[in-house]
Amino acid sequence: MFRICVIGCGNMSQSGHGPSFAKYRADYPDVSLAACCDLDGEKARAYRDRFGFAQYYTDYRQMLDEIRPDVVSLISPVDLTCPLAVDIMKRGYDIIMEKPPGKNRAEIEIMDSVAKQYGVNVRCAFNRRYTPLIEALVRRVRASGERLINITYQLYRWHRYDRDFSTTAIHAVDAVKYIAGSDYDTVHLTYDHHPECGENVKNIFLDGTFENGAVFQITLIPLGGAVTERVTVNTVNHSFFVDLPMWENIDVPGRLVEVTDSNHCETVMGDTLVDSTEMFEVSGFYNENRLFFEHLRGGSNEIVNDLQSAVQSVEIEDCIRHSLPLYKKDASR
Ligand SMILES: NC(=O)c1ccc[n+]([C@@H]2O[C@H](COP(=O)([O-])OP(=O)(O)OC[C@H]3O[C@@H](n4cnc5c(N)ncnc54)[C@H](O)[C@@H]3O)[C@@H](O)[C@H]2O)c1
């Protein structure tokens, strides 16, 4: 049996991951949803009942000692991700952790060094990387064989008065880097502060260049009155337009439109890429979990650790948190 344990039964765990675990268990009978844990026992119990876990705990150390799982899914508050991940990895467990994998460069480097020291597999759960429409976009951009010119990413939310929107902004930063297939070189950051809406509430605008020569613009509007994420990509002779399905937003089930210089247009609807229009599938949560679990169950000796691929995203997240105006790639990396 491949035993899965979950730490953190809060909002994201209930909406994105719980349904993914339940589907994975339904798809693979040799999988056991062994136990879930939350400091709030009532939440943990309800999560166990809703998604079919065998047991629940309020102390994750006790859970790990008693269950000795094959993988741990960590879906904790951002401030706790690094200390909890370090403790879990030091106990020798493979781990998939919700984004952001740390609040700054120091935290991600600490986790990376512990992962290497203890020889564990680590996956950063950046669900945009596993969103079927983004996977299709990346495939088509690469298949064009053309030079990448420009990427734009617009992320809007409504009623997000967070003091720290950087932990959501990192989705766009990481997705754009993933689509570019290159490291950021230089990022200019500007802010439109709205103190009347709360401390550190601001619209955020990023633009700059990648090492491969492509340019980008990212627009982040926490008080946009809409929940949307829209991407455009230009290569020399193609334009790609993606409207991502987000929760129950206006773009569900999402679509990708590819237009060539002869004005030939091809449209892919999001619900043609997956079995269902359920959010946990169209938004990539199922795939990010499934692919990691498949690797662990496949018996390969190759260690998966994608923390280094997230270092720049975390560094830029930290720039946004502190309203810094410029990010330059560390030349020593
Ligand atoms: N991928 C996405 O689109 C997305 C969206 C929102 C949030 N997130 C990420 O998901 C994570 C959780 O966010 P959330 O909104 O669900 O938060 P949340 O506060 O709703 O849930 C976190 C849960 O962790 C529990 N917890 C805290 N310390 C614990 C411990 N030591 N042991 C066991 N349980 C503990 C809390 O009691 C809480 O129930 C964050 O890392 C966040 O960045 C991802």
Side-chain angles (χ1 to χ4, degrees):
M1 276 288 174
F2 179 78
R3 286 153 304 157
I4 300 173
C5 275
V6 176
I7 300 174
C9 303
N11 294 328
M12 202 58 229
S13 191
Q14 291 170 33
S15 59
H17 297 284
S20 300
F21 302 139
K23 177 174 165 55
Y24 193 67
R25 164 73 186 82
D27 289 351
Y28 300 93
D30 63 328
V31 167
S32 157
L33 302 186
C36 57
C37 174
D38 200 287
L39 293 177
D40 178 336
E42 193 42 44
K43 250 191 218 177
R45 191 193 55 73
Y47 192 92
R48 176 199 66 180
D49 295 346
R50 180 169 168 202
F51 300 112
F53 280 76
Q55 300 184 59
Y56 77 90
Y57 289 81
T58 53
D59 177 340
Y60 78 87
R61 293 188 178 101
Q62 184 191 353
M63 173 176 76
L64 298 182
D65 288 347
E66 290 182 9
I67 306 280
R68 309 198 74 73
D70 295 292
V71 67
V72 175
S73 170
L74 177 64
I75 313 161
S76 57
V78 173
D79 286 343
L80 297 180
T81 298
C82 177
L84 290 178
V86 164
D87 188 41
I88 293 160
M89 290 189 287
K90 284 186 172 175
R91 289 161 189 266
Y93 295 105
D94 295 328
I95 183 170
I96 175 166
M97 71 182 82
E98 250 302 346
K99 54 50 62 178
K103 296 196 305 292
N104 48 46
R105 169 95 176 252
E107 285 197 349
I108 194 167
E109 296 291 9
I110 288 167
M111 288 190 284
D112 190 42
S113 108
V114 170
K116 285 174 177 146
Q117 190 185 346
Y118 286 81
V120 296
N121 290 277
V122 188
R123 166 129 302 157
C124 311
F126 277 111
N127 63 299
R128 305 310 186 272
R129 297 184 188 183
Y130 302 91
T131 294
L133 276 169
I134 292 189
E135 288 179 321
L137 169 69
V138 169
R139 268 197 309 276
R140 282 169 179 257
V141 169
R142 305 282 186 270
S144 77
E146 295 167 356
R147 185 167 62 79
L148 180 64
I149 298 174
N150 188 39
I151 304 175
T152 71
Y153 200 110
Q154 297 169 329
L155 183 154
Y156 298 172
R157 291 292 184 270
W158 62 284
H159 289 188
R160 289 289 299 269
Y161 300 99
D162 317 26
R163 233 189 118 267
D164 184 5
F165 192 70
S166 70
T167 63
T168 295
I170 194 172
H171 275 307
V173 173
D174 189 77
V176 169
K177 177 175 184 288
Y178 179 69
I179 295 164
S182 174
D183 274 3
Y184 285 103
D185 180 68
T186 305
V187 182
H188 304 278
L189 304 100
T190 53
Y191 306 92
D192 166 34
H193 291 273
H194 287 270
E196 75 283 5
C197 295
E199 191 188 345
N200 207 26
V201 173
K202 60 200 178 195
N203 297 317
I204 304 149
F205 307 94
L206 283 66
D207 65 85
T209 49
F210 282 99
E211 282 190 327
N212 65 5
V215 301
F216 72 93
Q217 305 84 41
I218 298 174
T219 304
L220 302 154
I221 311 282
L223 303 176
V227 177
T228 54
E229 287 184 36
R230 294 180 173 186
V231 195
T232 61
V233 177
N234 307 108
T235 60
V236 175
N237 280 313
H238 285 72
S239 292
F240 303 84
F241 305 88
V242 178
D243 300 338
L244 290 172
M246 301 298 308
W247 318 109
E248 272 88 45
N249 78 349
I250 54 170
D251 291 325
V252 169
R255 67 175 190 164
L256 160 68
V257 180
E258 175 175 352
V259 188
T260 67
D261 61 346
S262 55
N263 230 6
H264 173 76
C265 171
E266 232 181 282
T267 300
V268 180
M269 298 305 292
D271 53 356
T272 62
L273 300 173
V274 284
D275 296 342
S276 80
T277 53
E278 297 281 341
M279 186 281 286
F280 73 94
E281 289 206 78
V282 294
S283 295
F285 293 101
Y286 181 64
N287 278 346
E288 71 187 354
N289 284 295
R290 180 182 62 80
L291 291 168
F292 188 55
F293 298 161
E294 296 299 277
H295 173 78
L296 300 181
R297 291 166 68 222
S300 160
N301 288 329
E302 187 203 337
I303 297 275
V304 165
N305 174 349
D306 52 11
L307 284 166
Q308 283 300 324
S309 75
V311 167
Q312 282 202 308
S313 302
V314 168
E315 289 179 320
I316 295 168
E317 166 204 348
D318 201 28
C319 288
I320 293 171
R321 176 175 299 116
H322 295 106
S323 301
L324 300 183
L326 180 67
Y327 170 81
K328 268 300 269 179
K329 180 175 176 173
D330 177 350
S332 66
R333 287 196 68 235

